[in-house]
Amino acid sequence: MKFNRKLIITHITIWVIYIVYEISILLIINPNEIKFDQILFSFVLNILVFYTVSEYIFPKKNSFSFWGIAFFKLILVVNIYLLGSGFLSIYIYPIIENISKPQFTSVFTNMFIAERLWRVVYFIGLGTGFGFAKRAVLTERKLRMVEEQHFQKTLDEKELKRIIADTQLAFIKSQVNPHFLYNTLNFFYSNIYPLSKPLAKSLLILSDMMRYALKNQENNGLVELKLELEHIQNYIYLNQLRFNSKLQIIYQVTGDPDQKRIVSFLLITLVENAFKYGDLTDELNPMVIRIDIRMDETSILIRNKKNLLGHKFESSGNGLKLLKGQLNIIYKRNYYFHVEEDNVNYECHLKLNLDND
């Protein structure tokens, strides 16, 4: 792993912000139960899992053998993580906190195993996502170089956009072996289900979301509208699970989504943007997602209260830029997209004439 000084500082800064964020949540929920020594050691384990997965287990090549080896390495990481957590609880924390050493059976309870499995799966997911992101960045650089050297001077603007879009879509489709991911999640599901049914259900929903993300699309990049709506519902469910169902969200769909097709991830991009930059905890000003499906037009309205604290970190706007690029290329002028905001609220309105099957 090749790091420069700036990159190291960036990683450290992100981890510090993340740890402070989690500690802040714990302080709000139950400040009396916080043990900073345990938090410190547990995050050392979590960070080790993250970089082990992203740098050494994440396959460098997309083949069955590489993914198979990675699967067995992941099983090893999970077991080492559980043993490491148990070792800390039995031998390290009692010394630091000056208490008697607990028995093995009193530490490795079903609740202890379920909580640790949830954390290790979470950081395995983050490490895998980081690995995908690194590969995507390298591929994007290669695409940019090819674009500048071979295509820019020989193809007109329309042809160039088509080739770049096709190349990026092919790259996304070729990134992962779906069978590996499904088998891994099914393994975790079958082992966690006897311990925690809600946790097992969340893994099943995560599996459905990944299945949707990896599902083969049609040649024109469209998917069934009802699948995109199910993806949004799963996204909302997992976020409500993260925040103990405290998010204030009104989600309404009117009309029949059957026989309608839409560009994949078009709507979820708008929803994710609202989650990222919105304040979803105000009961008097909830986030609103309204989707009205009609024969000739589908209307999408998303409104949320701004997170004033979150505005300290300015958005790059890349998500909306990519969305507008998709709209321009695929829907051309047959769409309406408008953003309206003030100091408190942010609202976007999208109208599309969706294709029928």
Side-chain angles (χ1 to χ4, degrees):
M1 186 169 59
K2 202 172 182 179
F3 276 137
N4 55 38
R5 182 177 178 182
K6 184 177 180 181
L7 193 58
I8 292 174
I9 294 174
T10 301
H11 278 246
I12 293 174
T13 302
I14 292 173
W15 280 114
V16 169
I17 292 173
Y18 183 82
I19 293 171
V20 170
Y21 163 77
E22 286 214 346
I23 292 176
S24 301
I25 297 297
L26 293 175
L27 286 171
I28 294 173
I29 297 175
N30 198 347
N32 296 326
E33 293 296 325
I34 290 183
K35 297 180 179 179
F36 288 98
D37 56 327
Q38 295 188 17
I39 292 174
L40 175 63
F41 280 102
S42 64
F43 261 105
V44 170
L45 283 179
N46 296 336
I47 293 171
L48 286 174
V49 168
F50 176 89
Y51 287 111
T52 299
V53 171
S54 64
E55 300 298 333
Y56 302 106
I57 294 181
F58 184 84
K60 305 304 179 185
K61 295 183 180 179
N62 206 18
S63 66
F64 180 82
S65 60
F66 276 88
W67 282 105
I69 294 171
F71 174 79
F72 288 107
K73 288 181 178 179
L74 279 179
I75 301 301
L76 181 61
V77 167
V78 171
N79 283 279
I80 292 175
Y81 184 91
L82 291 176
L83 291 174
S85 298
F87 177 85
L88 290 173
S89 297
I90 296 173
Y91 297 103
I92 304 300
Y93 298 152
I95 295 175
I96 296 175
E97 298 169 8
N98 196 24
I99 60 176
S100 60
K101 185 176 73 173
Q103 296 295 321
F104 180 90
T105 54
S106 66
V107 171
F108 280 90
T109 62
N110 289 344
M111 180 61 68
F112 177 91
I113 295 174
E115 290 177 351
R116 296 313 186 275
L117 279 175
W118 169 252
R119 291 298 280 174
V120 72
V121 169
Y122 179 75
F123 282 95
I124 284 174
L126 289 181
T128 302
F130 183 70
F132 282 133
K134 284 185 63 178
R135 183 184 290 180
V137 169
L138 293 175
T139 303
E140 183 182 358
R141 289 176 182 173
K142 292 179 181 178
L143 286 171
R144 197 173 295 171
M145 187 179 300
V146 171
E147 173 192 342
E148 293 174 354
Q149 293 178 352
H150 300 289
F151 296 124
Q152 191 170 4
K153 295 182 180 179
T154 58
L155 298 175
D156 59 87
E157 183 179 358
K158 181 179 180 180
E159 183 69 4
L160 179 60
K161 288 182 179 180
R162 185 188 66 80
I163 291 175
I164 293 174
D166 290 346
T167 304
Q168 290 174 333
L169 181 59
F171 162 69
I172 293 172
K173 288 182 177 181
S174 67
Q175 285 305 289
V176 291
N177 185 328
H179 298 291
F180 165 76
L181 293 173
Y182 302 154
N183 291 337
T184 302
L185 288 173
N186 286 334
F187 167 79
F188 289 136
Y189 173 80
S190 61
N191 282 272
I192 293 175
Y193 185 80
L195 305 176
S196 173
K197 292 182 180 179
L199 179 58
K201 180 182 177 181
S202 66
L203 279 178
L204 204 60
I205 290 177
L206 178 61
S207 177
D208 289 339
M209 293 181 70
M210 298 183 74
R211 189 185 303 274
Y212 174 74
L214 300 172
K215 185 178 179 180
N216 290 330
Q217 301 173 348
E218 302 172 16
N219 292 332
N220 56 7
L222 302 181
V223 295
E224 295 179 36
L225 176 59
K226 63 181 180 181
L227 296 180
E228 180 82 358
L229 297 179
E230 289 174 3
H231 190 65
I232 293 174
Q233 287 180 306
N234 289 337
Y235 183 83
I236 294 173
Y237 174 85
L238 288 182
N239 275 280
Q240 288 285 24
L241 189 66
R242 285 179 58 205
F243 294 99
N244 298 319
S245 300
K246 294 181 179 179
L247 301 182
Q248 306 300 316
I249 302 172
I250 298 175
Y251 176 65
Q252 296 177 342
V253 177
T254 57
D256 186 6
D258 287 340
Q259 312 303 320
K260 296 285 187 180
R261 296 176 298 170
I262 191 171
V263 175
S264 60
F265 299 106
L266 188 67
L267 301 186
I268 193 64
T269 299
L270 296 173
V271 174
E272 288 177 343
N273 193 66
F275 270 85
K276 186 175 182 180
Y277 298 106
D279 177 4
L280 311 185
T281 59
D282 188 346
E283 295 183 4
L284 300 179
N285 201 349
M287 173 183 175
V288 176
I289 304 172
R290 288 198 178 97
I291 301 173
D292 183 20
I293 306 166
R294 301 180 182 179
M295 288 294 296
D296 57 340
E297 185 179 75
T298 296
S299 175
I300 301 97
L301 172 69
I302 298 179
R303 182 175 64 247
N304 61 272
K305 179 182 178 182
K306 288 184 177 180
N307 186 342
L308 300 181
L309 182 62
H311 276 284
K312 294 181 179 179
F313 306 96
E314 293 186 1
S315 168
S316 64
N318 289 332
L320 290 181
K321 288 179 182 177
L322 290 174
L323 181 140
K324 292 177 181 178
Q326 286 181 309
L327 291 172
N328 288 330
I329 293 173
I330 297 177
Y331 293 100
K332 304 188 187 308
R333 297 183 179 180
N334 297 320
Y335 75 90
Y336 169 83
F337 182 69
H338 177 69
V339 173
E340 186 173 338
E341 61 179 313
D342 52 33
N343 292 332
V344 178
N345 296 310
Y346 182 95
E347 178 176 311
C348 63
H349 197 184
L350 175 63
K351 294 182 180 179
L352 296 170
N353 185 2
L354 299 183
D355 292 334
N356 294 320
D357 288 337

